[in-house]
């Protein structure tokens, strides 16, 4: 059969015909889960001398009927045993199940169709050709997870198929919850209590399934990067943050360990029936690290940044818990093709530039915890929209100037070094802080070359910027002790601001870029408090979420903690 293929690009996968090009083998395992397939690959390699030949495939590549027909004709036709793990039951691969069952009955193939959600499914039992006792044994081994259990499942399937395999009666199961380090694997968490460590601790929470599938590359990468900054790191894994026993264990460990911060790599909300999440017990920043299910190229080329599913799992629902979204850390990528299995495992491949950005962001928040309060330098930023002097700091439904005054008062009462004036609006209109253009040009060279080029092509020489006078930028900014209150410069031209202000493709002009670089490199702000409308993260060119270093908000804000009251 000749299949005509077409490529599909984007963050949503469409069901296009695929030819996996696999030759026949004695055993075949099919699953929607890359973790499953990774465990079976590792298990087979552990004892391949005593196991039949094997093929592995992800069912997402076999969703089109033409793909199913091609795979049956080229690969399954020579199988003696087939194991299929399904999430969601028959409707999720109905055509494939019909055709594979017909083949199994015709050829006498041992067929095991198992539920992947831990429940017994009578419909799947009926489709299978093996005894119920064998199906339950295979289900138990698959639920146990990990390479040893997968190896035992392959041996069981081989014997059920009339093939030789060395009996594998022992499968070491991983604890449902536990602690982990990249140096030692599973460890005892008590070794990391306050009395036994001399560095701040960052906890990394992740799924048990990642450990079972040996799919921990992004967790290892962020752990190593944080250690470069002088932190201890400890992974805590569980099947789910919501499972009652796992949640109780996590709560006890986090409360006992007293971390400086938590990075979470599980998806969705972590709040259980009690309305609380185990990650909240330490009362420290909890950062959400997205392990994207899309490829890096889809993220790189897409304006949205994450697929709708990833957006829901890693951004929207975690924000319900109050987590701080810290960006994408990895993408699902195919590894080097295994020639013996004719299979390329899709696993979480870390993006090391994003890992470094995430670590810097975590460090900035931890630094806020330990820096003496009188030395902290907050920057309060007000919008100039809609550009009229009498509407300075305008925000619908919010008195931004009164809010700024109240925030400064609260900071002073908490021990910050704040010196306030009585008439903030008048003083702010008159106040100017200067920054030499040559200092700006030096800082600008730290930005990606593509952004520098866009800025120069559109806005020309920085000396021609309206806020430059005598070789210096003049920002509307007022020092209030260690705090600063400033008006955000215009992104474009005043006479075309109605069009410019909500144009997310508009490259900001030099004075806008200079202002944020000045905040970071000259004023050295510890945190940015943007009061009211039109925050820097909202309207600048770049992805909607999961930013790259080529996105203007990321380039200007960097790792600076941002608080956005509105």
């Amino acid at each position: 059969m000749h299949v005509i293929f077409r490529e599909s690009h984007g963050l949503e996968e469409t069901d296009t015909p695929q030819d996996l090009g696999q030759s026949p083998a004695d055993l075949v395992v099919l699953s929607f889960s890359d973790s499953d397939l990774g465990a079976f690959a590792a298990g087979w390699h552990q004892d391949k001398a005593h196991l039949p030949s094997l093929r592995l495939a992800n069912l997402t590549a076999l969703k089109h009927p033409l793909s199913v027909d091609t795979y049956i004709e080229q690969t399954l036709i020579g199988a003696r045993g087939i194991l299929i793990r399904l999430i969601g039951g028959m409707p999720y691969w109905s055509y494939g199940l019909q055709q594979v069952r017909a083949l199994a009955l015709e050829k006498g193939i041992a067929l095991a169709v198992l539920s992947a959600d831990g429940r017994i499914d009578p419909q799947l039992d009926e489709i299978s050709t093996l005894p119920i006792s064998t199906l339950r044994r295979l289900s138990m081994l698959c639920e146990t997870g990990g390479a040893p259990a997968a190896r035992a499942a392959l041996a069981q399937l081989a014997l059920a198929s009339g093939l030789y395999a060395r009996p594998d009666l022992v499968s070491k199961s991983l604890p449902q919850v536990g602690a982990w380090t990249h140096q030692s694997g599973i460890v005892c968490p008590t070794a990391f209590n306050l009395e036994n460590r001399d560095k701040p601790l960052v906890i990394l929470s992740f799924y048990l399934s990642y450990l079972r599938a040996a799919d921990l590359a992004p967790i290892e990468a962020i752990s190593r990067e944080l250690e470069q900054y002088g932190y201890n790191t400890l992974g805590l894994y569980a099947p789910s943050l919501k499972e009652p026993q796992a949640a109780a264990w996590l709560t006890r460990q986090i409360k006992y360990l007293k971390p400086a911060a938590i990075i979470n790599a599980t998806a969705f909300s972590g709040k259980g029936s009690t309305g609380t999440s185990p990650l909240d017990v330490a009362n420290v920043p909890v950062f959400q690290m997205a392990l994207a299910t899309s490829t890096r190229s889809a993220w790189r080329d897409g304006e949205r940044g994450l697929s709708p599913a990833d957006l829901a799992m890693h951004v929207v629902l975690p924000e319900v818990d109050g987590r701080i979204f810290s960006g994408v850390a990895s993408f699902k990528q195919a590894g080097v093709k295994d020639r013996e299995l004719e299979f390329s495992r899709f696993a979480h491949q870390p993006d090391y530039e994003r890992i470094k950005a995430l670590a810097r962001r975590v460090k900035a928040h931890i630094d806020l915890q330990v820096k003496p309060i009188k030395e902290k330098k907050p920057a309060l930023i007000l919008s100039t929209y809609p550009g009229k002097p009498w509407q300075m700091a305008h925000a619908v439904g919010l008195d931004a100037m009164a809010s700024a005054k109240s925030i400064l008062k609260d900071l002073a009462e908490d021990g910050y070094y704040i010196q306030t004036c009585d008439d903030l609006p008048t003083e702010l209109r008159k106040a100017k802080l200067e920054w030499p253009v040559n200092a700006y040009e030096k800082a600008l060279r730290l930005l990606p070359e593509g952004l520098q080029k866009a800025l120069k092509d559109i806005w020309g020489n920085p000396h021609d910027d309206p806020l430059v006078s005598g070789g210096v930028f003049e920002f509307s900014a007022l020092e209030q002790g260690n705090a600063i209150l400033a008006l955000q410069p215009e992104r474009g031209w005043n006479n075309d601001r109605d069009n410019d202000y909500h144009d997310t493709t508009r490259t900001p002009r030099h004075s806008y870029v200079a202002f944020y670089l000045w905040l970071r490199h000259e004023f050295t702000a510890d945190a940015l408090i943007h009061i009211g409308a039109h925050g820097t993260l909202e309207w600048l060119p770049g992805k909607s979420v999961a930013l790259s270093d080529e996105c203007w908000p990321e380039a200007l804000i960097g790792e600076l903690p941002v608080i956005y009251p509105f």
Side-chain angles (χ1 to χ4, degrees):
M1 177 182 292
H2 175 65
V3 181
I4 299 176
F5 298 99
R6 63 181 176 85
E7 293 184 349
S8 61
H9 298 281
L11 290 169
E12 294 90 7
E13 295 185 5
T14 55
D15 299 340
T16 54
Q18 297 187 52
D19 179 359
L20 299 185
Q22 290 183 347
S23 62
D26 294 322
L27 303 180
V28 178
V29 176
L30 307 176
S31 174
F32 280 113
S33 168
D34 292 316
S35 298
D36 275 355
L37 299 172
F40 276 104
W44 185 83
H45 278 289
Q46 286 180 356
D47 199 29
K48 61 184 179 182
H50 302 96
L51 287 170
S53 57
L54 176 67
R55 296 290 176 264
L56 304 169
N58 195 303
L59 288 169
T60 57
L62 300 173
K63 293 174 73 175
H64 195 286
L66 197 54
S67 302
V68 173
D69 295 341
T70 303
Y71 194 68
I72 287 174
E73 291 181 13
Q74 294 186 356
T75 308
L76 296 184
I77 193 74
R80 298 281 297 277
I82 301 171
L83 188 153
I84 302 172
R85 289 199 84 205
L86 278 181
I87 298 174
M90 283 187 61
Y92 285 83
W93 203 53
S94 57
Y95 178 79
L97 290 177
Q98 294 170 14
Q99 299 305 309
V100 173
R101 175 173 167 78
L103 175 71
L105 293 175
E106 178 187 350
K107 300 292 184 181
I109 298 171
L111 174 63
V113 185
L114 311 176
S115 171
D117 55 15
R119 295 178 295 178
I120 294 174
D121 189 328
Q123 285 186 310
L124 300 185
D125 290 344
E126 189 174 341
I127 292 172
S128 304
T129 63
L130 293 177
I132 294 295
S133 59
T134 303
L135 295 177
R136 297 296 176 265
R137 169 68 176 165
L138 288 170
S139 291
M140 183 274 291
L141 291 169
C142 290
E143 289 296 326
T144 298
R151 183 184 66 233
L154 290 173
Q156 181 75 48
L157 181 63
L159 293 172
S161 306
L163 299 168
Y164 169 78
R166 185 167 61 181
D168 195 337
L169 302 178
V170 179
S171 61
K172 297 179 181 178
S173 61
L174 292 169
Q176 290 293 294
V177 294
W180 168 95
T181 68
H182 70 86
Q183 299 96 335
S184 305
I186 296 177
V187 297
C188 178
T190 57
F192 288 81
N193 64 17
L194 279 173
E195 291 76 18
N196 294 334
R197 66 176 193 254
D198 57 357
K199 301 175 183 178
L201 175 68
V202 178
I203 284 177
L204 314 172
S205 52
F206 59 90
Y207 284 124
L208 166 64
S209 60
Y210 296 160
L211 184 61
R212 284 175 169 170
D215 193 5
L216 292 171
I219 309 298
E220 293 179 6
I222 188 60
S223 180
R224 293 178 188 276
E225 189 66 26
L226 288 168
E227 288 169 359
Q228 296 296 313
Y229 286 113
Y231 301 124
N232 284 322
T233 60
L234 179 67
L236 297 180
Y237 67 84
S240 167
L241 297 182
K242 292 184 177 182
E243 198 280 320
Q245 291 183 333
W249 183 86
L250 286 169
T251 299
R252 291 194 302 271
Q253 298 304 320
I254 293 172
K255 188 175 183 179
Y256 170 73
L257 291 167
K258 295 180 172 58
I262 298 172
I263 299 176
N264 180 59
T266 70
F268 306 104
S269 168
K271 292 185 177 180
S273 58
T274 62
T276 61
S277 164
L279 305 182
D280 297 336
V281 68
N283 195 29
V284 296
V286 180
F287 298 88
Q288 182 69 22
M289 180 173 83
L291 275 55
T293 58
S294 59
T295 62
R296 190 183 190 283
S297 60
W299 167 78
R300 182 194 62 217
D301 300 336
E303 294 182 0
R304 185 169 53 217
L306 292 177
S307 69
D310 282 335
L311 187 63
M313 291 190 298
H314 296 296
V315 182
V316 178
L317 292 174
E319 283 187 351
V320 173
D321 293 4
R323 297 182 207 159
I324 303 168
F325 182 65
S326 55
V328 64
S330 66
F331 304 94
K332 275 294 187 76
Q333 302 284 147
V336 177
K337 189 169 186 176
D338 187 319
R339 293 185 178 181
E340 293 179 288
L341 298 176
E342 299 183 15
F343 166 71
S344 295
R345 179 192 178 189
F346 271 76
H348 292 104
Q349 301 289 340
D351 183 295
Y352 290 99
E353 289 304 315
R354 294 295 86 209
I355 290 286
K356 291 177 181 178
L358 194 161
R360 291 194 298 268
R361 191 164 289 120
V362 172
K363 180 182 182 299
H365 280 76
I366 294 177
D367 287 346
L368 273 177
Q369 299 176 30
V370 299
K371 188 171 185 177
I373 196 166
K374 284 191 174 296
E375 297 178 14
K376 293 180 182 180
K377 301 172 70 174
L380 283 66
I381 311 302
L382 302 169
S383 169
T384 54
Y385 185 82
K388 308 297 183 183
W390 61 88
Q391 288 183 310
M392 181 173 58
H394 173 75
V396 177
L398 176 72
D399 189 333
M401 193 62 70
S403 298
K405 191 170 184 177
S406 179
I407 290 171
L408 289 169
K409 180 175 179 292
D410 290 342
L411 290 173
E413 290 175 353
D414 284 345
Y416 285 75
Y417 174 57
I418 304 293
Q419 291 181 325
T420 59
C421 56
D422 293 331
D423 190 353
L424 274 181
T426 300
E427 293 298 323
L428 184 56
R429 286 192 190 98
K430 297 187 299 183
K432 299 292 180 186
L433 289 177
E434 298 181 345
W435 198 34
V437 172
N438 59 0
Y440 160 67
E441 291 175 323
K442 182 179 179 181
L444 187 62
R445 289 195 286 271
L446 300 175
L447 268 57
E449 291 184 3
L451 300 187
Q452 294 183 51
K453 184 178 185 303
L455 189 61
K456 182 178 180 180
D457 290 347
I458 294 171
W459 295 107
N461 193 318
H463 286 274
D464 297 331
D465 189 276
L467 291 193
V468 172
S469 177
V472 298
F473 287 99
E474 294 182 341
F475 304 125
S476 296
L478 180 65
E479 290 182 300
Q480 300 280 276
N482 276 347
I484 193 167
L485 181 66
L487 290 174
Q488 185 183 69
E490 297 285 341
R491 288 202 305 277
W493 297 110
N494 283 354
N495 58 4
D496 198 26
R497 68 190 334 275
D498 287 343
N499 292 325
D500 284 353
Y501 228 92
H502 299 96
D503 180 0
T504 56
T505 65
R506 167 65 73 179
T507 297
R509 75 187 195 194
H510 283 289
S511 51
Y512 189 100
V513 175
F515 173 70
Y516 282 97
L517 295 181
W518 172 81
L519 279 178
R520 290 171 58 197
H521 300 291
E522 184 70 20
F523 177 68
T524 60
D526 292 305
L528 189 155
I529 305 171
H530 189 99
I531 305 168
H534 303 104
T536 300
L537 296 176
E538 281 186 289
W539 298 106
L540 295 186
K543 301 181 188 301
S544 297
V545 71
L547 307 184
S548 73
D549 59 356
E550 295 282 347
C551 297
W552 274 106
E554 175 96 353
L556 298 187
I557 295 296
E559 64 275 6
L560 192 63
V562 177
I563 302 167
Y564 190 2
F566 191 180

